[in-house]
Amino acid sequence: SSSSAKSGSKDCVVTAVVPSVVALQSSGLPEWGASEDKNWGASGDKKSGRPLTLHDVSSESTDMTLNASLDVSNSPKLTDESFKAVLAGCASLTSISVAGCSDLSDESIKAVGACASLTSLDVSGCGNLSDEAIQAIALGCASLTSVNVSGCRNLSDEGIKAIASCSLRSLNVSCCGNFLTDESIKAVAATCPSLTSLNVADCKFLTNEAIKA
């Protein structure tokens, strides 16, 4: 079953994918604001030119149940305000993907920390994120087993060491090469005994010591 609400001239749809699993999708514009149609406003709303938001579906999110997933990936015009409006009714989420949502800041990702049941988080390509956001997630989402922070180039050892306090099985820190050193990877090796997948591609400051760990 599905329900929809109008946002500008496009629909945002909350779709039940399988029992107890919910995905949030935008219909119409594949990447909000990325249309080649010059009649569209710079931020994605054809009528007003305002950022295309998810406020109209925030009320729909209140009935999300256990084992629900939220996927708003590749939505580069998604705002902090809209994302937090959706999260407000989704405390039981177990999986969140905001991959490619490049406008989101620490403010949004800190709000994810309220999802205590979260096991999977993908924030790859969210280049505005800092250690502060990742530390907040580590504190609030102790059940995390899979984390993807690929391309989050502002993260340092402190953020990765914080997320390593969770019992991770999969961690992707590829293309986070600006500040990561052996210290963070050694911490992952020491605190994540169940880890089965680690991607450290393009982390230019890592040495053989990290790999040995």
Side-chain angles (χ1 to χ4, degrees), residues 28-41:
L29 196 60
E31 293 189 2
W32 299 351
S35 172
E36 295 179 357
D37 183 348
K38 294 182 180 179
N39 291 323
W40 282 83

Side-chain angles (χ1 to χ4, degrees), residues 8-78:
S9 61
K10 296 293 173 181
D11 290 338
C12 288
V13 184
V14 178
T15 305
V17 181
V18 293
S20 298
V21 179
V22 178
L24 182 66
Q25 302 172 326
S26 64
S27 65
L29 196 60
E31 293 189 2
W32 299 351
S35 172
E36 295 179 357
D37 183 348
K38 294 182 180 179
N39 291 323
W40 282 83
S43 300
D45 188 317
K46 191 171 185 178
K47 289 186 176 180
S48 65
R50 66 177 175 79
L52 186 61
T53 72
L54 297 180
H55 284 302
D56 294 327
V57 296
S58 61
S59 61
E60 301 289 352
S61 66
T62 58
D63 64 355
M64 287 188 179
T65 55
L66 292 174
N67 302 319
S69 66
L70 177 63
D71 187 344
V72 289
S73 56
N74 297 318
S75 302
K77 294 300 180 181
L78 180 64

Side-chain angles (χ1 to χ4, degrees), residues 98-111:
V98 291
C101 297
S102 53
D103 267 4
L104 295 185
S105 71
D106 283 353
E107 183 181 353
S108 286
I109 305 307
K110 285 179 182 179

Side-chain angles (χ1 to χ4, degrees), residues 11 34-35 48 79 81 105-106 119 135 156 168 179 187 204:
D11 290 338
S35 172
S48 65
T79 65
E81 185 181 11
S105 71
D106 283 353
T119 60
Q135 288 165 339
S156 75
L168 297 180
F179 303 107
K204 57 188 176 183

